[in-house]
Amino acid sequence: MKQLLYITIVLCLVGGVFSACRKAYETVPLGQQITSDLAFDPRDSLGVQAMTYLLTTYQQAFYNGHNRIGGNYLDAASDDAVASASGIPAVQAIATGAYSATLSNADDNWTRSYTAIRNATVFIVNINRVPMIEKLPNGQPARAAYRSEARFLRAWLYFQLVKRYGGVPLLGDSIRQITDNIQLPRASFSDCINYIVSECDNIKDSLRTAAMVTPNTYGRITQGAAMALKAEVLLYAASPLFNGGNIDAGNALTGYPGYDVNRWKLAADAAKAIIDGGAYKLMPNFNDVFVTQAAPVGPNTEIICWMQVGTPDNRVEQSNAPVGYTSAGGNGATSPTQNLVDAFGSDSGYAITDPAAHFNANDPYAHRDPRFALTIFHNGSLWLNRSVQTYNNGLDKPGGTVQQTKTSYYLRKFMGAFESVSNNPPSYSGTYHDWVYYRYAGVLLNYAEALNEFSGPSTEVYNVLYALRKRAGILTDASNTYGVPQGMNQQTMRTFIRNERRVEMAFEEQRYWDLRRWKIAAQVYNEAPLRGLDLQLSSSGQLFYNPIQVLKTVFRDPQMYLYPIPYSEVIKNSQMQQNPLW
């Protein structure tokens, strides 16, 4: 029997827990198969089994982005980093184009997404059978909010598919059985975008306005999450890859047939609605965004949608910190590139190529954007009571028999503030490492980009850049411009915003997708090799910074702007159309 999607209802954990309180999720049975009659029992007035089903659907839908691609960050498949491991790690196979319709890449999520979509739909269709006496703090029945959470999960999953594959089959509220002969075509890109946006609009008012700190409610999808998803979807829809830059002109599956500047306005308006709502604000300290929890449990006012990854631990540090700290066990999995390092400007806000930055090639890490030191370990960075050593004879040097940096850099972002510790030997302390999907800084950047593309530079666009750079700790003068050039035109502002997005959102699974939606991936991957440094320390103590090439990435233009539909789906569904050139 031909089938588009062979989907079971096995409730399995997929890499961690969404941003709910850990206690709420620990009650979810592992590997249990739950029938609809059990999960949605009309006699279950508290909805205990239904909540188990929904919580497990959360687990299926969301992923922990920390080192999720074969032990590496997805950004190591962009120009921002490379995998430190020897051989051809899964993330390097993506960066070098070593995948096909029959040999999927490690980020392929077709089956996983549709499995979770089906389970979300089961909940949406059946939850009204459960009485559920629970009320929200505002007195409204909780059941409507839970149903809207499942609709959000389904919409979010469809977007994960669309940004990878273009238009995909929309299954609606139909629950297919494994015995069904399902022959569904892909919906158009436009129809998919419209569906996701309409779902966000329809569920917004029935969702909680803030995360709660009571059993089974803390961290659930909120109104802000739905608004953030809508803003992101509209931003992608307005971007060059889909808005007039269709890789297959006239193919409704791979984008819009023509450009419409008003798509940028829709994206700007959606982001502005979050800003005007006033529910979120930038954290005073950049690093605290990633190591503190959301309000009201913690002081984090910036994160909007996130996955809570257990209790405080040191897994991110152990995976990515420099390798020479034997008592702490850093494995150095991620090697940021010189390409990314060069994107960070000076502490006065100027690009290092600008004479006003006073950049010194013989002391290249002095007086840099403070986000640099909180994102990347470089030679001389202070960590666990000693300086990182990535020169030729240093404790954290490249090469050797263990996984060590290939570029002379290690990942610092997402780690706790361990620069000063009293333990002897020094060791890590537990830190929260929630994975953040949407945060307020990203909303601000979305707004600035969309508004600039719609109508050019404006006071509102400049104010976003000032706010982000002020929070970053960029120095300024009486003008309070934080090194942001004045009088930019639309093109120069576009370039500036893209670089600001790169340094602010590094390793948050933005750069990889930005290169594609901006339709510059072919240029970036094929024209500029990924670079690092070979640091040589002379007998006299002088350091020499020697540029090296560490990886030549590959991007087949325009084929690789979209992933191939898995071959198994194409051969079993006569209506499934493959993406161009695959």
Side-chain angles (χ1 to χ4, degrees), residues 68-83:
R68 77 175 179 91
I69 307 294
N72 290 278
Y73 285 86
L74 181 62
D75 288 51
S78 75
D79 57 340
D80 279 357
V82 297

PDB file of all heavy atoms in Angstrom, residues 68-83:
ATOM      1  N   ARG A  68      23.455  19.437  18.690  1.00  0.00           N
ATOM      2  CA  ARG A  68      22.445  18.469  18.271  1.00  0.00           C
ATOM      3  C   ARG A  68      22.771  17.760  16.956  1.00  0.00           C
ATOM      4  O   ARG A  68      22.197  16.723  16.649  1.00  0.00           O
ATOM      5  CB  ARG A  68      21.065  19.140  18.148  1.00  0.00           C
ATOM      6  CG  ARG A  68      20.851  19.999  16.898  1.00  0.00           C
ATOM      7  CD  ARG A  68      19.412  20.500  16.824  1.00  0.00           C
ATOM      8  NE  ARG A  68      19.192  21.338  15.657  1.00  0.00           N
ATOM      9  CZ  ARG A  68      18.778  20.878  14.483  1.00  0.00           C
ATOM     10  NH1 ARG A  68      18.538  19.589  14.325  1.00  0.00           N
ATOM     11  NH2 ARG A  68      18.602  21.708  13.473  1.00  0.00           N
ATOM     12  N   ILE A  69      23.681  18.294  16.147  1.00  0.00           N
ATOM     13  CA  ILE A  69      23.999  17.681  14.861  1.00  0.00           C
ATOM     14  C   ILE A  69      25.235  16.798  15.017  1.00  0.00           C
ATOM     15  O   ILE A  69      26.368  17.226  14.834  1.00  0.00           O
ATOM     16  CB  ILE A  69      24.235  18.750  13.769  1.00  0.00           C
ATOM     17  CG1 ILE A  69      23.061  19.716  13.686  1.00  0.00           C
ATOM     18  CG2 ILE A  69      24.483  18.071  12.413  1.00  0.00           C
ATOM     19  CD1 ILE A  69      21.762  19.075  13.205  1.00  0.00           C
ATOM     20  N   GLY A  70      25.001  15.574  15.443  1.00  0.00           N
ATOM     21  CA  GLY A  70      26.123  14.652  15.634  1.00  0.00           C
ATOM     22  C   GLY A  70      27.154  15.156  16.616  1.00  0.00           C
ATOM     23  O   GLY A  70      28.359  14.915  16.442  1.00  0.00           O
ATOM     24  N   GLY A  71      26.711  15.873  17.656  1.00  0.00           N
ATOM     25  CA  GLY A  71      27.642  16.404  18.646  1.00  0.00           C
ATOM     26  C   GLY A  71      28.152  17.794  18.335  1.00  0.00           C
ATOM     27  O   GLY A  71      29.061  18.284  19.019  1.00  0.00           O
ATOM     28  N   ASN A  72      27.576  18.450  17.324  1.00  0.00           N
ATOM     29  CA  ASN A  72      28.008  19.799  16.940  1.00  0.00           C
ATOM     30  C   ASN A  72      26.814  20.728  16.813  1.00  0.00           C
ATOM     31  O   ASN A  72      25.676  20.289  16.638  1.00  0.00           O
ATOM     32  CB  ASN A  72      28.746  19.756  15.598  1.00  0.00           C
ATOM     33  CG  ASN A  72      30.091  19.086  15.706  1.00  0.00           C
ATOM     34  OD1 ASN A  72      31.074  19.689  16.100  1.00  0.00           O
ATOM     35  ND2 ASN A  72      30.135  17.804  15.357  1.00  0.00           N
ATOM     36  N   TYR A  73      27.091  22.020  16.869  1.00  0.00           N
ATOM     37  CA  TYR A  73      26.062  23.023  16.613  1.00  0.00           C
ATOM     38  C   TYR A  73      25.811  23.120  15.110  1.00  0.00           C
ATOM     39  O   TYR A  73      26.736  22.947  14.305  1.00  0.00           O
ATOM     40  CB  TYR A  73      26.489  24.386  17.157  1.00  0.00           C
ATOM     41  CG  TYR A  73      26.389  24.493  18.662  1.00  0.00           C
ATOM     42  CD1 TYR A  73      27.435  24.081  19.472  1.00  0.00           C
ATOM     43  CD2 TYR A  73      25.239  24.983  19.267  1.00  0.00           C
ATOM     44  CE1 TYR A  73      27.342  24.148  20.852  1.00  0.00           C
ATOM     45  CE2 TYR A  73      25.133  25.058  20.650  1.00  0.00           C
ATOM     46  CZ  TYR A  73      26.185  24.640  21.439  1.00  0.00           C
ATOM     47  OH  TYR A  73      26.082  24.705  22.806  1.00  0.00           O
ATOM     48  N   LEU A  74      24.565  23.412  14.734  1.00  0.00           N
ATOM     49  CA  LEU A  74      24.240  23.572  13.317  1.00  0.00           C
ATOM     50  C   LEU A  74      25.093  24.659  12.678  1.00  0.00           C
ATOM     51  O   LEU A  74      25.405  24.593  11.485  1.00  0.00           O
ATOM     52  CB  LEU A  74      22.754  23.882  13.149  1.00  0.00           C
ATOM     53  CG  LEU A  74      22.258  24.059  11.719  1.00  0.00           C
ATOM     54  CD1 LEU A  74      22.445  22.787  10.893  1.00  0.00           C
ATOM     55  CD2 LEU A  74      20.786  24.487  11.696  1.00  0.00           C
ATOM     56  N   ASP A  75      25.487  25.660  13.456  1.00  0.00           N
ATOM     57  CA  ASP A  75      26.303  26.750  12.910  1.00  0.00           C
ATOM     58  C   ASP A  75      27.645  26.259  12.384  1.00  0.00           C
ATOM     59  O   ASP A  75      28.299  26.957  11.605  1.00  0.00           O
ATOM     60  CB  ASP A  75      26.524  27.820  13.980  1.00  0.00           C
ATOM     61  CG  ASP A  75      25.268  28.619  14.259  1.00  0.00           C
ATOM     62  OD1 ASP A  75      24.218  27.991  14.494  1.00  0.00           O
ATOM     63  OD2 ASP A  75      25.312  29.861  14.243  1.00  0.00           O
ATOM     64  N   ALA A  76      28.069  25.066  12.797  1.00  0.00           N
ATOM     65  CA  ALA A  76      29.301  24.505  12.253  1.00  0.00           C
ATOM     66  C   ALA A  76      29.112  24.000  10.830  1.00  0.00           C
ATOM     67  O   ALA A  76      30.072  23.525  10.215  1.00  0.00           O
ATOM     68  CB  ALA A  76      29.814  23.372  13.140  1.00  0.00           C
ATOM     69  N   ALA A  77      27.897  24.134  10.305  1.00  0.00           N
ATOM     70  CA  ALA A  77      27.636  23.882   8.882  1.00  0.00           C
ATOM     71  C   ALA A  77      27.504  25.184   8.116  1.00  0.00           C
ATOM     72  O   ALA A  77      27.139  25.180   6.938  1.00  0.00           O
ATOM     73  CB  ALA A  77      26.365  23.040   8.703  1.00  0.00           C
ATOM     74  N   SER A  78      27.809  26.311   8.773  1.00  0.00           N
ATOM     75  CA  SER A  78      27.828  27.618   8.115  1.00  0.00           C
ATOM     76  C   SER A  78      29.266  28.098   8.043  1.00  0.00           C
ATOM     77  O   SER A  78      30.209  27.313   8.175  1.00  0.00           O
ATOM     78  CB  SER A  78      26.950  28.607   8.897  1.00  0.00           C
ATOM     79  OG  SER A  78      27.608  29.016  10.090  1.00  0.00           O
ATOM     80  N   ASP A  79      29.450  29.390   7.851  1.00  0.00           N
ATOM     81  CA  ASP A  79      30.810  29.939   7.815  1.00  0.00           C
ATOM     82  C   ASP A  79      31.288  30.410   9.185  1.00  0.00           C
ATOM     83  O   ASP A  79      32.352  31.013   9.295  1.00  0.00           O
ATOM     84  CB  ASP A  79      30.900  31.090   6.807  1.00  0.00           C
ATOM     85  CG  ASP A  79      29.907  32.213   7.095  1.00  0.00           C
ATOM     86  OD1 ASP A  79      28.901  31.971   7.810  1.00  0.00           O
ATOM     87  OD2 ASP A  79      30.109  33.335   6.589  1.00  0.00           O
ATOM     88  N   ASP A  80      30.523  30.118  10.227  1.00  0.00           N
ATOM     89  CA  ASP A  80      30.872  30.597  11.561  1.00  0.00           C
ATOM     90  C   ASP A  80      31.717  29.609  12.366  1.00  0.00           C
ATOM     91  O   ASP A  80      32.308  29.991  13.382  1.00  0.00           O
ATOM     92  CB  ASP A  80      29.610  30.924  12.359  1.00  0.00           C
ATOM     93  CG  ASP A  80      29.043  32.293  12.001  1.00  0.00           C
ATOM     94  OD1 ASP A  80      29.665  32.993  11.177  1.00  0.00           O
ATOM     95  OD2 ASP A  80      27.982  32.655  12.543  1.00  0.00           O
ATOM     96  N   ALA A  81      31.757  28.349  11.962  1.00  0.00           N
ATOM     97  CA  ALA A  81      32.498  27.364  12.747  1.00  0.00           C
ATOM     98  C   ALA A  81      32.715  26.104  11.924  1.00  0.00           C
ATOM     99  O   ALA A  81      32.090  25.902  10.875  1.00  0.00           O
ATOM    100  CB  ALA A  81      31.738  27.027  14.037  1.00  0.00           C
ATOM    101  N   VAL A  82      33.602  25.254  12.423  1.00  0.00           N
ATOM    102  CA  VAL A  82      33.785  23.909  11.885  1.00  0.00           C
ATOM    103  C   VAL A  82      33.798  22.945  13.065  1.00  0.00           C
ATOM    104  O   VAL A  82      34.064  23.330  14.206  1.00  0.00           O
ATOM    105  CB  VAL A  82      35.087  23.767  11.078  1.00  0.00           C
ATOM    106  CG1 VAL A  82      35.065  24.667   9.851  1.00  0.00           C
ATOM    107  CG2 VAL A  82      36.308  24.069  11.946  1.00  0.00           C
ATOM    108  N   ALA A  83      33.505  21.687  12.781  1.00  0.00           N
ATOM    109  CA  ALA A  83      33.600  20.658  13.810  1.00  0.00           C
ATOM    110  C   ALA A  83      35.073  20.363  14.094  1.00  0.00           C
ATOM    111  O   ALA A  83      35.893  20.272  13.176  1.00  0.00           O
ATOM    112  CB  ALA A  83      32.882  19.393  13.360  1.00  0.00           C
TER     113      ALA A  83
END
